[in-house]
Amino acid sequence: MVALEARHLTKCYYSTVAAVSDLSFCLQEGEVLGFVGPNGSGKSTTVKMLTGLLEPTHGQVVSRGARIEQDLVHYRERLGYVPEEADLYPFLSGREYLELVGTLRSLPRQSLERKIDAMLDLFSLSAHRHSAIGSYSKGMRQRVLLIAALLHDPALLILDEPLSGLDVTSAMVVKNLIKKLGEQGKAILYCSHVLEVVEKVCGTVIVLQKGRAIAYGPPSELMKTAGQASLEHAFAHLVEGGDSAQTARDIASVMSAA
Amino acid sequence: MILTLEEPQRSRWESLNENGFYRLVRHCADRVFYGGDGTSCDVEMGIGAVLAIFSTPGTFAAVALAVKYGTVFHFLRNEAHFNAYVASFPDEYFFAVLSMTIAGAVAVWKWDSLLPDRRDHANLAHLPILGGRILVANLLALVILVVIVAVDVNAGSAILFPLIACWTAPTIGYIVVFFFTHAVAMMLAAVFGFVAVLAILGILMASLPYRVFRKCSVYVRTTLLILFVALLMTSFSEGGKIETIHSAVAWTNFPPPVWFAALCQWLRGIDNAPFPALSLAAVLGTVAVLVIATGAYALSYRRCFLRSAETMVILPAGGGAVAAHVLRALDGVLLRGPVQRGGFRFVIKTLFRSETHALTWIGFTAVGVMIASNDLLLAGSKTAASSHVPSAVVLGLPLILTYFLMFGLRVAFEIPGPLRANWTFRLGVDPGTRECAALARRVMIAFEVPLLAVSLVLYAHFWGWEIAIVHTLLLAAMAGLLIETLLLGFRKIPFTCTAPPFKQTTSVAVILDVLGLFGFSAAVPALERHAFVDPLRSATGIALMLLMWWVCLYGTRKNQIEPERRLIFEDALPPVLEVLDLTFRK
């Protein structure tokens, strides 16, 4: 069953600049869809439209057969979202922040507290649960965001760079978790620059460039089509990024110049 | 003893906590109080401490008025039929000013966290909450905050002032009426002050592009603070004049605090011609600012908050080509070495771009401008430019400005910027560097030089080049010594160190600073004025005084030991107990 569908999504800023142009795709239940593209390709704009934070100029986002704007509150009840930046309230503790999110999601008090404590423990944040978020490291903030997105057991997860700032162990946990949740039937949109992870975790990948989807399919097929051995190389082949080796050589020569 | 809630109460409390809307309102109130970017130096005080600070001025003012209302003083002044209602009019004006100023200053202080911002959008917008609920919850939190501030600011005075003023009152009812009328009028004044600032904020946010709003925000806040200080100053000079208001003059002729003082008197039934119109102005004025603020708040919510995801956060930066040329020129004449050159750019940009720092030094300078203007106005015709030699008041004007400007900069240097970015300096600067004071000195000089130039031109225009040059030289010498005094023991790169702890010597330092202002801006100009008339005696006196000042500074600096000169990134008090290393192994 289709959990989320983007139909001809287009977003123009200042009436003329198209950040996303005629983008269409489907996210099935139990599918992990990778969303990759160079900086400024329109990933974040698309994610914001999919979460209902941004209204598309044209096209629509459909969930369970209905446009999300028709019942945004109900749609968001089923949605777990990890934004690109962990901009949290520095004056709240990690636990307080999760309590706030859980309460606003109308989760029952007792189960919420149990869940928060268990999640904090599993994400190795127990020792810091009463410390202000202002004193957290980037990785700790990211873990708080992940917990906040998972607390209500959402059917649909939109993860924008969820591994940003995480240490190796936590990143491995999250990677395995994404696979597990996919197996459980949850629909996951995984947005990232780390292509090795996308290759391992996602069943399907969309490559975005200048607001348009330039490739859409399983990673193995993309690699095969591009004639490359890894998704990273396939990506470099697909997008107009120039010769990365040559750019590196240019940087080195500028560094050594007097 | 720990009190426990009864079971039904507990469940009610818990169910309230589980209510999403209530939690949202509580969160909005928290974010208004604790708001900020979390990287700057927000004052870490509990709500209780902050409320206590807000209520203190009113309480002290009420106590100080015991002199006026005490029975002994009535007897001494032969006031047999003392009417507290009538006599309290100028004091009610003072309390209205105080109430309005403190409440308005709170709104200016919390400027950035009064309305929901991008962080709220990032954290709340994707949750299953109706968009309007965030609007209403924040509005409700603001209403609660306004009520708390209005009650708190006037709590001390509302209780003490009626008791002190009506000590000899014939009945309890007399005191009760005094209490209620005072409380209502003053709380309304506080609401007016707070909401007026909120309305200005809302209008600016709703009408300006975000980038422009951020850029002009610091100037608007400074202007508002100056207006509040000016208003506060009127309470000392205008109190007597207000007592004489009898004829029916239009309400527009009076500043808002007079409306609220008049409302207080009108509620007490005092029959005076302008009171009904002024009272009406107080009520309608409050209603008007409430309506404007609510409208502007709703508009700014729609225009800024709901469209947060659509707009890019490109904050103003970049000094432009002219600034780059000026800095390059300064590299040749004023700045030496990488610490000074890199640090100077960093300090100047922080002083102009960081709202906290800009507000600090501009605020201090503004107070200086106000005092200087006040002195000039009070001096009146005596300071006519046509006089042969400028008066001591006129000579003191640039000194007052210098004192406050330098002091403001020195205070701003102590306010930490985002400490997380400190690694740049921790890695890049030699800990043994002695360049910190030199860097700070150069920044202060860069701010002082334009003042010297303007002073030279203005004094030359009015009193000729001879007087202008002598006065500017003296001003430069005084500024130099003041800078050296302010930078004694300074060993930080500005804004990169934690805030200094409160030391026992701080209170003494504050008293010395006030006395210093008097010596700097009043005593020396008076001597200088004499020097223009009798050059030999007074000029020698001034020279000797400056020499002594310099010798004191030189001696103090000479006595500093090596650890007292090392660069620090954390300002901490010396340990109460020091462990002596008696093994002499080091």
Side-chain angles (χ1 to χ4, degrees):
Chain A
M1 191 181 172
V2 178
L4 185 69
E5 189 183 353
R7 291 180 187 165
H8 308 288
L9 278 185
T10 299
K11 180 66 193 179
C12 297
Y13 290 114
Y14 310 112
S15 311
T16 51
V17 186
V20 176
S21 200
D22 197 24
L23 180 67
S24 298
F25 63 86
C26 279
L27 175 61
Q28 304 286 342
E29 283 178 0
E31 183 185 6
V32 183
L33 174 65
F35 208 61
V36 297
N39 289 333
S41 60
K43 294 192 301 294
S44 293
T45 303
T46 309
V47 164
K48 283 175 187 167
M49 285 192 281
L50 295 177
T51 49
L53 293 174
L54 206 57
E55 207 177 319
T57 313
H58 301 294
Q60 46 194 249
V61 181
V62 176
S63 177
R64 292 190 174 170
R67 292 174 62 176
I68 60 167
E69 309 91 83
Q70 287 175 355
D71 192 355
L72 206 52
V73 172
H74 187 62
Y75 168 68
R76 284 174 177 166
E77 277 171 6
R78 298 189 296 108
L79 171 72
Y81 172 51
V82 173
E84 190 180 9
E85 281 179 38
D87 191 7
L88 303 169
Y89 297 103
F91 55 87
L92 293 178
S93 70
R95 199 177 192 288
E96 284 169 344
Y97 178 76
L98 295 171
E99 271 176 6
L100 170 72
V101 172
T103 310
L104 295 178
R105 284 193 174 280
S106 309
L107 300 182
R109 194 86 191 156
Q110 285 186 334
S111 74
L112 172 67
E113 290 192 353
R114 269 200 308 273
K115 265 191 175 181
I116 289 173
D117 288 334
M119 287 283 209
L120 286 170
D121 196 29
L122 289 165
F123 276 91
S124 311
L125 282 172
S126 268
H128 306 280
R129 64 187 185 281
H130 296 308
S131 309
I133 289 176
S135 63
Y136 281 16
S137 68
K138 193 180 175 191
M140 288 160 78
R141 286 168 191 238
Q142 194 66 20
R143 278 179 271 166
V144 172
L145 271 185
L146 280 162
I147 300 173
L150 300 171
L151 264 183
H152 59 296
D153 191 22
L156 170 65
L157 271 163
I158 296 180
L159 310 174
D160 199 350
E161 293 289 357
L163 304 186
S164 172
L166 294 186
D167 56 50
V168 180
T169 321
S170 306
M172 280 169 68
V173 170
V174 175
K175 276 187 273 181
N176 288 319
L177 179 67
I178 291 169
K179 277 187 196 166
K180 179 76 187 161
L181 293 175
E183 285 163 20
Q184 282 181 359
K186 298 195 188 302
I188 301 170
L189 184 91
Y190 182 87
C191 202
S192 178
H193 288 292
V194 190
L195 297 173
E196 292 99 322
V197 181
V198 174
E199 190 181 333
K200 284 177 190 160
V201 166
C202 302
T204 318
V205 175
I206 295 178
V207 182
L208 216 62
Q209 191 181 27
K210 292 180 182 170
R212 289 177 182 278
I214 54 168
Y216 181 19
S220 54
E221 267 185 38
L222 290 185
M223 289 188 278
K224 204 168 140 187
T225 312
Q228 302 289 332
S230 69
L231 187 63
E232 191 176 284
H233 287 103
F235 178 80
H237 180 80
L238 286 165
V239 300
E240 298 162 8
D243 184 353
S244 55
Q246 182 56 46
T247 311
R249 278 195 295 276
D250 291 346
I251 292 169
S253 69
V254 170
M255 282 168 70
S256 56
Chain B
M1 189 177 75
I2 298 168
L3 289 172
T4 52
L5 291 171
E6 294 295 318
E7 207 50 43
Q9 280 178 302
R10 182 192 288 274
S11 59
R12 216 175 304 144
W13 177 248
E14 278 183 357
S15 62
L16 197 61
N17 258 327
E18 280 180 45
N19 181 308
F21 184 68
Y22 165 77
R23 187 66 188 81
L24 194 59
V25 174
R26 218 183 81 189
H27 170 71
C28 290
D30 280 349
R31 61 167 286 287
V32 170
F33 185 78
Y34 296 107
D37 58 8
T39 50
S40 60
C41 55
D42 276 351
V43 183
E44 288 180 12
M45 279 191 287
I47 293 177
V50 172
L51 292 181
I53 290 171
F54 291 163
S55 67
T56 305
T59 310
F60 275 114
V63 172
L65 285 170
V67 175
K68 178 176 173 180
Y69 295 94
T71 43
V72 177
F73 292 96
H74 295 168
F75 173 75
L76 290 174
R77 289 195 218 109
N78 198 20
E79 291 170 335
H81 303 290
F82 183 74
N83 186 340
Y85 285 3
V86 175
S88 65
F89 185 38
D91 304 321
E92 294 296 359
Y93 172 74
F94 170 73
F95 281 115
V97 168
L98 197 66
S99 184
M100 205 176 277
T101 304
I102 296 175
V106 172
V108 174
W109 174 38
K110 288 287 158 196
W111 181 268
D112 282 329
S113 49
L114 290 175
L115 304 183
D117 55 16
R118 285 161 192 276
R119 177 180 290 150
D120 297 302
H121 192 269
N123 284 282
L124 303 175
H126 68 274
L127 296 175
I129 316 166
L130 284 171
R133 284 202 146 199
I134 302 174
L135 172 99
V136 177
N138 196 69
L139 190 63
L140 211 54
L142 283 176
V143 170
I144 294 168
L145 180 76
V146 173
V147 171
I148 289 174
V149 169
V151 171
D152 178 61
V153 166
N154 297 295
S157 69
I159 295 165
L160 289 175
F161 186 47
L163 291 175
I164 289 166
C166 308
W167 189 247
T168 53
T171 59
I172 292 288
Y174 190 89
I175 302 176
V176 172
V177 169
F178 195 103
F179 166 79
F180 276 110
T181 49
H182 173 86
V184 167
M186 297 311 123
M187 281 180 206
L188 220 53
V191 170
F192 181 87
F194 190 102
V195 179
V197 175
L198 185 65
I200 292 168
L201 167 66
I203 290 169
L204 288 176
M205 268 191 105
S207 58
L208 296 176
Y210 187 69
R211 182 187 158 92
V212 180
F213 166 73
R214 291 266 32 120
K215 198 162 189 173
C216 74
S217 190
V218 63
Y219 302 108
V220 176
R221 287 169 82 181
T222 312
T223 310
L224 285 170
L225 282 180
I226 294 169
L227 284 176
F228 283 126
V229 173
L231 201 61
L232 203 58
M233 288 178 80
T234 64
S235 62
F236 302 111
S237 58
E238 300 297 301
K241 291 182 198 168
I242 283 153
E243 215 166 359
T244 58
I245 297 173
H246 290 299
S247 56
V249 188
W251 60 273
T252 44
N253 287 4
F254 301 102
V258 178
W259 308 346
F260 294 93
L263 171 69
C264 185
Q265 299 299 87
W266 182 71
L267 288 173
R268 286 169 186 167
I270 292 173
D271 188 24
N272 199 340
F275 284 176
L278 290 171
S279 305
L280 193 66
V283 176
L284 291 182
T286 310
V287 173
V289 289
L290 278 168
V291 170
I292 293 168
T294 312
Y297 167 72
L299 267 177
S300 67
Y301 180 87
R302 187 181 163 77
R303 194 173 179 273
C304 296
F305 181 76
L306 292 182
R307 291 177 60 193
S308 289
E310 233 166 303
T311 49
M312 299 266 284
V313 193
I314 305 170
L315 293 178
V322 177
H325 282 302
V326 171
L327 284 168
R328 235 172 278 145
L330 285 176
D331 282 347
V333 290
L334 190 68
L335 307 169
R336 281 173 187 78
V339 175
Q340 284 186 22
R341 284 175 187 159
F344 188 84
R345 286 164 168 78
F346 165 71
V347 174
I348 293 288
K349 283 167 187 174
T350 310
L351 283 171
F352 281 99
R353 290 184 195 165
S354 157
E355 284 204 13
T356 315
H357 297 95
L359 270 177
T360 306
W361 73 265
I362 296 175
F364 267 91
T365 312
V367 173
V369 171
M370 296 251 331
I371 293 176
S373 320
N374 196 44
D375 280 3
L376 197 60
L377 286 173
L378 288 178
S381 57
K382 286 183 282 182
T383 63
S386 56
S387 170
H388 177 59
V389 176
S391 68
V393 171
V394 172
L395 289 169
L397 298 179
L399 287 163
I400 294 173
L401 294 179
T402 295
Y403 192 86
F404 278 94
L405 175 61
M406 295 301 118
F407 211 83
L409 288 171
R410 182 65 182 84
V411 173
F413 290 164
E414 292 289 350
I415 299 173
L419 293 175
R420 285 183 178 207
N422 265 7
W423 60 270
T424 317
F425 291 98
R426 282 180 187 261
L427 284 181
V429 179
D430 171 19
T433 185
R434 304 251 179 106
E435 296 293 313
C436 297
L439 167 64
R441 185 182 302 122
R442 277 156 176 79
V443 173
M444 291 168 117
I445 289 170
F447 276 81
E448 179 62 22
V449 167
L451 189 61
L452 289 174
V454 171
S455 164
L456 180 70
V457 172
L458 284 179
Y459 283 91
H461 176 74
F462 287 113
W463 291 282
W465 282 103
E466 195 182 329
I467 284 177
I469 291 170
V470 171
H471 181 59
T472 308
L473 284 175
L474 178 70
L475 179 62
M478 297 275 289
L481 287 167
L482 177 68
I483 291 170
E484 291 304 319
T485 310
L486 290 172
L487 292 177
L488 263 182
F490 188 78
R491 52 194 180 124
K492 310 164 177 180
I493 292 169
F495 326 125
T496 63
C497 186
T498 52
F502 184 84
K503 294 171 186 160
Q504 286 179 334
T505 51
T506 307
S507 325
V508 180
V510 171
I511 295 167
L512 285 177
D513 293 335
V514 175
L515 291 175
L517 171 66
F518 173 74
F520 196 83
S521 61
V524 172
L527 268 176
E528 190 190 358
R529 173 78 169 76
H530 280 292
F532 282 124
V533 183
D534 178 10
L536 196 64
R537 266 196 311 174
S538 302
T540 315
I542 292 174
L544 273 174
M545 201 176 67
L546 296 184
L547 185 69
M548 274 169 58
W549 190 357
W550 182 81
V551 169
C552 289
L553 284 171
Y554 181 78
T556 314
R557 201 173 299 149
K558 198 86 179 155
N559 284 333
Q560 281 177 335
I561 52 172
E562 183 55 30
E564 287 174 342
R565 294 174 178 171
R566 287 184 72 84
L567 173 65
I568 54 166
F569 288 101
E570 272 160 32
D571 203 345
L573 287 170
V576 181
L577 280 175
E578 200 169 343
V579 180
L580 299 174
D581 180 14
L582 299 176
T583 61
F584 303 105
R585 276 180 298 202
K586 279 182 186 170

